[in-house]
């Protein structure tokens, strides 16, 4: 956390407002198969004007070549170096945040699968034939109705998509150093809950008892008679953004995962709709309440994941249309970037550097004339790691004291 | 090794092939004295076409301003941060690898000089009048004939160029923490073998006994009657590339030093000739045997060291002519770069960033139109450390899993 501590030392309050607009997965590729990126294809006069009057650059989310998930992608943008082990958000926690669950600091979470086993207890399907979400909900309701604590341990089970659920345990001092119970193979029984070190043994015993109770309730279920648990984890104990940066930080995100990550970093989550216009509405209403506004647009990533370049470009055009309303609020610094690239060609997240635009009174006006990947190569901001961005934003907002005399 | 461990965690097998073509010392300078680089001067339509359809960038081999030898230059390209002490390949080992010697993990090596001393034992010439290689070979043969072990320690002596030889000791637990015996001065006797810490004392005594035996055999030699030893070292215990990257790695290099470094990193060394056409022949024959192909062209560096810009450009033209044969094999990712720059103007290795070209289906097609130093400044890959290249190559080859969810 060295760079965060460094910033914390220098951060000072100021009467300035910073907007960080994250266009999820905005970066794309230009190749012989896909000769234009979504930013190339989209008609975005407002973004281009902002680029002309500000600085461009690029962000590397983790390390060169490394493709991040949404967790590390956003943690980087918020200033946390995602390569540090203490910044890691576990799979169970991410899944829980994605379901909009409120986690306490001591809650232990795991991702669950409903699965099926034969009469000998050997797994026959690790995903229970990919049961529909409705069936998953029914099973979770049955389990919740059957019991909600085991030996003083509170047990909550929340349905996800298809065969997936999230288990949340609380009420004891619990360790997250537990191995997955999913053997990743058929014809063998699920693994027992095992501690990965001595400190986790009591928790392993407790989790073992919970699994037994869950399986007992499922014994006569035709669709699924076993649970498999993975990614045991607790909320990371992250330094909180308000303390580090000395700003009141608000998160405006229409999807739960991003609200959850923002909340884990200490931002206040503001209710809002799913589209950029909704985010601008909510930001407008909360303009006096915060100094830092994180706005998250999900649809660029979704279109990229679908491999739909035209849809991705259309999302950018809707953002462009409502951008003047956001700028009219008078933010001192506006940064527009992504948490990673999601090239439509790849239908997946990628490692490609993320376009970055910073606008503000003290942003160097470089020769950029449009906001797209090729232009950002030559931008004044150069190539930064994502977790270096917050320092730049604070600086442009007059919120960092001089270092040394 | 943090970044290597990070990649090792994410690397996954895939059905893709990666070619890393190292044009040794390819980078050059453009100055008032030398207005063109070798890449500027050479006519290389195939390299330029590859640049037009792929991404350019630049590598910094060690740190800005630091000129590497061939060892650290290549270790960086293979993904090892050469500034880490455990990545250091000692001079004795490098010299041994340069003679194509097979070293075991416990062998202790040193670079030797034949020298002359007067009747009082004081040095009169630290290089024995720069005796010719033929005389060096005769002396080494005489020493080898006289003895091959001292107190149970195996002693092997191998002639190098001129007054240089390599000593390889084995058969005991030996420490490499020994100081040089070359006093770097005349009129004084050679230094005794001394341990640099307590763990090296037994080895120092054993090496002292070997030096005494060597000098005793040389006592009546007119040309050289002393040996000086430097760079005591053992093979570093490097994580092996196959384990880290989960690829079968083959090395195609016509010169022993590069084969040796590749072998120390875990690559399988494939016999081949000295010229690029030979490397392509050998690669063609071994195409099914590997996933990663390291091809090493030495002659660019040799021409640079000779200060012969025209010869360096001609080497590049021969590479360009045979490049289509390499591309016809259908590699998924091709990277072309150097281990360092060797500007003809300087007749030596330098710190100048190394041009880099990456071609592949997912390589961003930037605005580059030729492969030369100036174009690489604006390339999509930007400026990377050499040891960051492997992550980029794995990414482009679909061989890195996503980091985090």
């Amino acid at each position: 956390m060295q760079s965060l501590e460094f910033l914390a030392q220098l951060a000072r309050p100021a009467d300035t407002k910073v907007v960080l607009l994250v266009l999820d997965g905005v970066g794309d590729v230009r190749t012989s198969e896909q000769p234009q990126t979504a930013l190339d294809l989209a008609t975005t006069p407002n973004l281009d004007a902002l680029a002309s009057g500000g600085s461009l650059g690029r962000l590397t989310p983790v390390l060169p070549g490394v493709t991040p998930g949404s967790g590390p992608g956003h943690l980087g943008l918020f200033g946390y170096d995602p390569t540090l082990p203490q910044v890691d958000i576990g799979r169970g926690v991410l899944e829980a945040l994605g379901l909009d669950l409120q986690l306490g600091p001591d809650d232990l979470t795991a991702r669950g699968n409903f699965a099926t086993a034969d009469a000998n207890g050997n797994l026959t399907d690790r995903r229970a034939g990919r049961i529909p979400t409705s069936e998953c909900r029914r099973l979770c309701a049955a389990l919740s109705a059957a019991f909600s604590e085991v030996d003083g341990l509170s047990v909550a089970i929340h349905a996800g998509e298809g065969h997936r659920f999230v288990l949340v345990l609380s009420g004891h001092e619990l360790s997250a150093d537990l191995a997955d119970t999913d053997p990743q193979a058929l014809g063998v029984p699920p693994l027992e809950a095992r501690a990965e070190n001595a400190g986790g043994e009591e928790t392993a015993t407790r989790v073992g008892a919970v699994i037994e109770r869950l399986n007992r309730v499922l014994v006569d279920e035709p669709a699924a008679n076993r649970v498999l648990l993975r990614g045991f984890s607790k909320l990371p104990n992250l330094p909180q953004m308000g303390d580090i940066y000395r700003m009141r930080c608000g998160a405006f995100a229409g999807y739960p995962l991003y609200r959850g990550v923002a909340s884990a970093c200490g931002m206040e989550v503001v209710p809002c709709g799913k589209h950029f216009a909704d985010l601008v509405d909510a930001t407008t209403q909360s303009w006096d309440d915060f100094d830092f506004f994180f706005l998250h647009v999900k649809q660029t990533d979704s279109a990229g994941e679908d491999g739909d370049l035209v849809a991705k470009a259309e999302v950018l055009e809707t953002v462009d249309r409502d951008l003047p309303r956001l700028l009219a609020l008078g933010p001192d610094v506006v940064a527009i970037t992504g948490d990673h690239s999601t090239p439509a060609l790849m239908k997946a997240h990628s490692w490609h550097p993320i376009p970055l635009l910073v606008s503000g009174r003290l942003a160097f006006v470089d020769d950029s004339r449009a906001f797209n990947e090729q232009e950002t190569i030559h931008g004044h901001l150069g190539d930064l790691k994502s977790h270096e961005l917050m320092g730049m934003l604070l600086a442009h907002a007059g919120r960092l004291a001089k270092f040394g005399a």
Side-chain angles (χ1 to χ4, degrees), chain A:
Chain A
M1 303 284 199
Q2 202 199 336
S3 63
L4 267 192
E5 282 159 19
F6 204 89
L7 288 185
Q9 224 180 61
L10 300 178
R12 63 183 184 189
D15 186 22
T16 52
K17 290 190 188 287
V18 176
V19 169
L20 171 62
L21 169 55
V22 176
L23 306 175
D24 201 306
V26 66
D28 218 297
V29 296
R30 215 166 76 172
T31 70
S32 56
E33 283 171 86
Q34 182 187 296
Q36 287 193 299
T37 71
L39 282 167
D40 291 336
L41 187 61
T43 302
T44 54
N46 295 310
L47 281 167
D48 295 344
L50 214 57
S52 296
S55 303
L56 295 189
R58 306 192 299 176
L59 297 180
T60 292
V62 184
L63 290 173
V66 173
T67 296
S70 299
H74 278 86
L75 287 165
L77 293 175
F78 302 153
Y80 306 83
D81 178 351
T83 65
L84 298 177
Q86 64 269 39
V87 171
D88 192 32
I89 295 196
R91 300 298 175 112
V93 168
L94 267 181
E95 205 79 5
L97 297 178
L99 293 181
D100 234 348
L101 305 182
Q102 302 297 316
L103 295 178
D106 299 320
D107 293 353
L108 178 63
T109 63
R111 298 167 77 186
N113 272 13
F114 286 111
T116 48
D118 62 21
N120 298 320
N122 293 324
L123 288 168
T124 51
D125 192 321
R126 291 174 45 247
R127 297 181 188 87
R130 293 188 182 275
I131 50 169
T133 302
S134 56
E135 177 69 1
C136 180
R137 290 202 183 124
R138 191 187 62 77
L139 290 170
C140 288
L143 290 166
S144 300
F147 67 100
S148 63
E149 65 87 17
V150 177
D151 297 337
L153 191 68
S154 291
V155 179
I157 185 160
H158 304 272
E161 305 268 311
H163 55 282
R164 298 178 193 87
F165 65 85
V166 172
L167 184 70
V168 182
L169 306 175
S170 55
H172 269 279
E173 202 171 302
L174 298 167
S175 162
D177 298 334
L178 260 55
D180 296 349
T181 73
D182 184 344
Q184 303 277 349
L186 299 181
V188 296
L191 299 172
E192 305 226 325
R194 281 164 306 128
E196 287 178 327
N197 55 44
E201 277 168 16
E202 196 200 317
T203 303
T205 306
R206 289 184 175 281
V207 169
V210 170
I211 293 173
E212 206 188 306
R213 280 292 290 276
L214 291 169
N215 288 340
R216 219 185 302 153
V217 176
L218 295 174
V219 71
D220 291 324
E221 286 290 340
N225 56 5
R226 288 292 184 284
V227 296
L228 301 176
L229 300 177
R230 292 191 287 163
F232 289 95
S233 44
K234 298 160 85 167
L235 265 187
N237 185 17
L238 296 171
Q240 302 291 285
M241 288 176 71
D243 301 331
I244 308 164
Y245 303 129
R246 307 184 70 178
M247 296 194 289
R248 298 167 298 162
C249 301
F252 302 77
Y255 291 80
L257 174 61
Y258 312 95
R259 290 196 289 265
V261 175
S263 167
C265 298
M267 285 192 239
E268 186 179 321
V269 171
V270 180
C272 63
K274 286 179 157 35
H275 295 279
F276 181 60
D278 305 322
L279 309 182
V280 176
D281 291 344
T283 302
T284 305
Q285 280 169 31
S286 305
W287 192 244
D288 294 335
D289 302 337
F290 302 103
D291 309 299
F292 178 84
F293 302 78
F294 157 55
L295 277 66
H296 180 264
V297 172
K298 173 69 179 164
Q299 293 83 0
T300 28
D301 179 62
S302 310
E305 296 260 14
D306 291 343
D308 192 337
L309 190 72
V310 172
K312 192 171 172 185
E314 283 169 358
V315 174
L316 292 168
E317 292 177 354
T318 67
V319 169
D320 195 75
R321 265 196 295 278
D322 272 300
L323 192 59
R325 283 209 293 134
L326 182 64
L327 301 180
L329 296 171
D332 297 278
V333 178
V334 176
I336 304 179
T337 188
D339 53 338
H340 52 74
S341 293
T342 305
L345 179 68
M346 295 176 68
K347 299 185 179 183
H349 294 194
S350 85
W351 66 91
H352 296 89
I354 312 156
L356 167 67
L357 188 168
V358 173
S359 171
R361 180 179 160 247
L362 299 174
F364 190 98
V365 179
D366 55 32
D367 285 347
S368 312
R369 289 296 164 261
F371 185 48
N372 63 48
E373 289 77 357
Q374 175 63 39
E375 288 274 313
T376 59
I377 299 177
H378 309 295
H380 179 264
L381 296 167
D383 286 342
L384 301 172
K385 294 267 172 67
S386 288
H387 74 266
E388 295 172 328
L389 175 63
M390 280 302 301
M392 286 302 252
L393 301 187
L394 294 175
H396 281 83
R399 287 177 166 272
L400 280 189
K402 186 162 70 177
F403 172 61

